[in-house]
Amino acid sequence: GWRLNQHGHQSNRLDASVLGSDGGSSTLRKRHRTPGVPSPLTRSKSMSYLSHIQQSRRDLIDEKKQDVTFLQYIVQELNMEPNGEHRRNEGWNDEALETLYRSPNSIRSGVYNFLRVPFSLERFIAYAIMVCIDTFLYYVTLLPIRLIFTAKKLLLRHPLKIQDICDILRLFTMFVTLFTLMPLFNYSFLYHYIRGQSTLKLYVTYNMLELFDKMSSAFGIDIQDAMYYSATKLYFDRGVQVPERFFVARDCVLSIFGYIVYLFIHTTLLYVRIITLNVALNSSNNALFTLLVSNNFLELKKPIFKRFAKENVFQFSCHDATERFQLLIFGLIIAMQNSRAAVFTGQEIWDVSHCLMAEVVVDFLKHAFIAKFNDISSTVYGKFLDKLCEDMTDDRLQDTFLDNMNIASRRLGFTPIPLVTIVLYVTYLYFDPSRQDSLRRWLFYFQLFITLLLFKLLINIFVVGFASRRRVKMEHSNKLRMELERLKQGSKNALEDREDRFQATNTAPTMDEDNEHNPSRQLNLTKIFRYALFGKRLPE
């Protein structure tokens, strides 16, 4: 309030109780201070707060600061007490380790899983290679026999099946490509031309041919299916009108012509690649061969430090299986060519085995580290094997232009016709009908055909039999699993009995450990093929 001075006049001073302890100077300054400039009181409080924090830090450091002599430091590093006694072992602190790093149990399980991955991978690859051998021998042995029965149906005017039309197209396109390549390719000329190039140029050429081989395989599977579909539609849709039938016939002719062009290009790429590999094996210096072997180890740089889904790992496995089988066929062709040139010493087989062993080691490391960095269980390869077995025993493909063998080879990304064409071409060169002992050679090749036919039947019995047994176990395990789910709300004794039966009969796991209790993350490989894009990129 306002006060009267000693003369009775009204005073302009404010009461100290109203203004505050500082006489109201801060209040008055607060009204007229410059914006953005703190008041002296604010600055004093901030300085006192900072000095308080600094003093607290100094006090904390002084409390923790201890004068440690050099002898005490050595004793602490040796984990011993000053009196010579060892420190008492207070046990493991799993909670602290799991909080700061990882659980010890998960670390140990990861190491065991890392060591189990190569064995699970080899089991899948071994069966996939058997499927590739069965598919390859089908074109060499059973396809000519099936065409004889197809010709008999045509002569007797019996209706053809879809598979008969597909067999005719396979043999027709294969022989057109074969007789087109025969007058154009000269193995000796190509061999010496490639051998005259520099080592670096051959290395780059071989990698380019490998890349074009993958691109051709991805395109060839689609154009082959288009050809089968167009031809079967033209044969079975006979009741359509003439204009529509004309367009169907046009599509059929264009698809057949396109497939022949593709087959010619793909076969040429494989043939040049085989010659390049033969030059590397026969070279005096091992520089080119060393580069080709080291090229396998360069595959480790691309995939192992990237995140991949289990579907991508399945595509990796299919690619590795077909690549190994292709390398085996390359070794067979090189051996036949060198034997024909009378320079075969067996060293080529030894060198090819080195390439194959390098491929196996690279596959082991690649899949093991992919499983480690992506937390993938080794049991997932059993799921891959189950899907391949399901393709070999699926009954829903009987009325389509794709049988079980073809759908399995497509899932693996294996295109057998270019390889079969090259093998037939090399066999024709090795045969050489102009020689005097051609009759004896005809007899030898007839015996070889019978041997391959019996071997093909034996392989097919094993492949289909193994797939059937594994699928029966898989279905039985699924039934027991569903039954256990229904009995979870039942009595405890009945549940324990069913669990014992399930554990005793569950020899073919169909579900990963991490997907067993999470149905939304179950692995579905129905539409996953080698050259089907899944995720952001296609595994190489």
Side-chain angles (χ1 to χ4, degrees):
W2 296 92
R3 291 184 179 180
L4 294 176
N5 54 13
Q6 56 182 348
H7 298 286
H9 297 286
Q10 195 176 14
S11 176
N12 293 330
R13 292 182 302 170
L14 293 177
D15 192 0
S17 62
V18 177
L19 297 177
S21 60
D22 55 351
S25 59
S26 62
T27 307
L28 295 176
R29 289 193 197 98
K30 187 175 181 181
R31 296 176 183 176
H32 302 287
R33 66 183 177 88
T34 305
V37 179
S39 63
L41 179 61
T42 304
R43 289 196 297 267
S44 62
K45 290 182 178 180
S46 300
M47 294 297 294
S48 62
Y49 179 71
L50 291 176
S51 62
H52 175 70
I53 292 178
Q54 293 175 359
Q55 183 64 30
S56 300
R57 288 180 179 177
R58 285 194 296 267
D59 294 341
L60 184 61
I61 292 174
D62 292 338
E63 290 178 359
K64 294 185 177 181
K65 186 176 180 181
Q66 297 178 357
D67 293 332
V68 180
T69 63
F70 181 74
L71 181 60
Q72 292 176 349
Y73 170 75
I74 296 297
V75 170
Q76 291 179 1
E77 290 296 322
L78 295 177
N79 196 18
M80 295 178 61
E81 295 294 339
N83 56 4
E85 297 180 357
H86 294 280
R87 293 180 179 177
R88 184 172 57 90
N89 187 8
E90 299 178 356
W92 294 98
N93 192 356
D94 293 343
E95 296 181 358
L97 185 60
E98 185 175 358
T99 303
L100 297 175
Y101 181 49
R102 284 190 302 170
S103 173
N105 189 21
S106 65
I107 297 174
R108 182 178 59 184
S109 301
V111 173
Y112 292 162
N113 183 74
F114 183 86
L115 298 177
R116 284 194 298 263
V117 164
F119 298 98
S120 302
L121 173 66
E122 282 304 309
R123 189 179 184 185
F124 170 79
I125 289 182
Y127 184 78
I129 290 177
M130 299 293 285
V131 173
C132 293
I133 294 174
D134 181 54
T135 306
F136 181 83
L137 292 179
Y138 168 81
Y139 289 91
V140 179
T141 57
L142 285 185
L143 183 60
I145 298 176
R146 288 170 61 99
L147 286 174
I148 294 176
F149 291 99
T150 303
K152 182 179 178 181
K153 290 181 181 180
L154 290 175
L155 292 177
L156 298 178
R157 295 183 179 180
H158 291 170
L160 298 179
K161 298 181 180 180
I162 298 179
Q163 294 298 328
D164 297 332
I165 300 174
C166 294
D167 290 338
I168 294 174
L169 290 176
R170 291 183 188 120
L171 192 66
F172 173 74
T173 55
M174 189 166 55
F175 273 95
V176 168
T177 307
L178 179 63
F179 287 107
T180 305
L181 289 175
M182 286 174 58
L184 296 179
F185 281 173
N186 188 350
Y187 184 85
S188 300
F189 173 76
L190 291 175
Y191 178 83
H192 291 287
Y193 177 78
I194 295 175
R195 190 174 183 178
Q197 306 300 321
S198 62
T199 302
L200 183 60
K201 185 183 293 186
L202 291 179
Y203 176 72
V204 175
T205 303
Y206 187 83
N207 290 332
M208 291 177 58
L209 292 173
E210 186 177 1
L211 176 61
F212 289 145
D213 179 25
K214 296 177 182 178
M215 297 168 59
S216 301
S217 298
F219 177 74
I221 293 174
D222 294 336
I223 195 173
Q224 186 179 13
D225 294 342
M227 179 185 66
Y228 292 158
Y229 176 74
S230 301
T232 53
K233 185 178 181 181
L234 178 64
Y235 180 79
F236 288 101
D237 295 346
R238 298 182 179 180
V240 297
Q241 298 179 359
V242 176
E244 184 178 357
R245 189 172 178 81
F246 170 76
F247 290 113
V248 174
R250 182 198 63 183
D251 295 338
C252 181
V253 172
L254 291 177
S255 60
I256 292 175
F257 177 76
Y259 183 72
I260 291 175
V261 173
Y262 147 76
L263 199 59
F264 178 82
I265 296 174
H266 195 184
T267 306
T268 305
L269 292 174
L270 287 177
Y271 193 65
V272 177
R273 185 181 172 187
I274 292 171
I275 296 176
T276 306
L277 183 60
N278 194 9
V279 170
L281 298 178
N282 294 332
S283 60
S284 57
N285 56 346
N286 295 325
L288 181 57
F289 178 71
T290 304
L291 288 175
L292 295 180
V293 172
S294 62
N295 190 32
N296 295 327
F297 290 92
L298 293 178
E299 297 179 5
L300 294 175
K301 183 178 66 174
K302 300 178 182 178
I304 63 174
F305 297 113
K306 297 180 181 179
R307 180 168 294 278
F308 290 101
K310 297 176 183 178
E311 290 81 0
N312 299 128
V313 179
F314 177 63
Q315 293 176 326
F316 271 122
S317 304
C318 295
H319 168 69
D320 295 336
T322 54
E323 192 172 7
R324 290 192 197 180
F325 176 75
Q326 198 175 49
L327 189 59
L328 291 174
I329 297 298
F330 287 176
L332 176 64
I333 295 175
I334 290 173
M336 293 178 63
Q337 286 290 342
N338 293 339
S339 177
R340 174 175 172 266
V343 294
F344 179 72
T345 59
Q347 184 65 28
E348 294 82 3
I349 303 298
W350 181 254
D351 294 336
V352 172
S353 65
H354 283 174
C355 294
L356 186 60
M357 289 303 298
E359 187 70 29
V360 171
V361 172
V362 169
D363 293 342
F364 283 177
L365 296 175
K366 178 173 64 177
H367 284 269
F369 278 99
I370 287 176
K372 169 182 169 57
F373 293 134
N374 295 275
D375 294 331
I376 298 176
S377 175
S378 60
T379 57
V380 74
Y381 294 96
K383 185 71 173 181
F384 300 162
L385 185 58
D386 289 339
K387 189 58 187 177
L388 202 57
C389 293
E390 183 181 350
D391 291 336
M392 294 299 297
T393 56
D394 197 348
D395 299 332
R396 295 174 294 178
L397 299 172
Q398 292 181 355
D399 297 331
T400 61
F401 58 86
L402 294 177
D403 53 4
N404 300 101
M405 178 187 63
N406 289 322
I407 197 68
S409 61
R410 277 161 177 74
R411 193 173 299 278
L412 293 172
F414 176 58
T415 51
I417 295 184
L419 281 176
V420 173
T421 305
I422 293 177
V423 170
L424 292 178
Y425 176 67
V426 174
T427 304
Y428 175 79
L429 295 178
Y430 184 80
F431 176 66
D432 196 4
S434 61
R435 297 183 179 179
Q436 297 179 357
D437 55 348
S438 59
L439 181 61
R440 186 178 301 176
R441 289 182 176 271
W442 276 108
L443 182 60
F444 169 75
Y445 278 101
F446 177 76
Q447 295 175 354
L448 180 62
F449 175 80
I450 298 298
T451 304
L452 292 177
L453 177 61
L454 296 177
F455 183 67
K456 195 271 177 202
L457 296 177
L458 182 63
I459 292 292
N460 186 260
I461 291 173
F462 171 76
V463 168
V464 178
F466 178 82
S468 301
R469 290 193 302 270
R470 190 170 180 87
R471 188 172 183 181
V472 169
K473 292 180 180 180
M474 179 178 61
E475 293 176 353
H476 183 60
S477 299
N478 290 334
K479 290 180 181 179
L480 290 177
R481 193 184 303 277
M482 295 174 62
E483 188 176 356
L484 282 175
E485 293 293 334
R486 289 195 301 265
L487 291 175
K488 279 186 176 180
Q489 303 299 329
S491 62
K492 183 178 180 180
N493 296 331
L495 182 59
E496 291 178 355
D497 184 35
R498 297 291 182 177
E499 287 178 349
D500 294 338
R501 288 176 52 191
F502 174 75
Q503 293 177 0
T505 56
N506 189 18
T507 57
T510 60
M511 191 177 299
D512 291 344
E513 296 174 354
D514 54 348
N515 292 335
E516 186 173 359
H517 304 289
N518 191 359
S520 62
R521 294 181 58 194
Q522 292 183 6
L523 187 62
N524 187 9
L525 300 173
T526 303
K527 295 185 178 181
I528 303 298
F529 293 84
R530 167 64 186 93
Y531 294 107
L533 184 62
F534 181 85
K536 296 183 179 180
R537 62 192 299 266
L538 190 68
E540 299 178 2

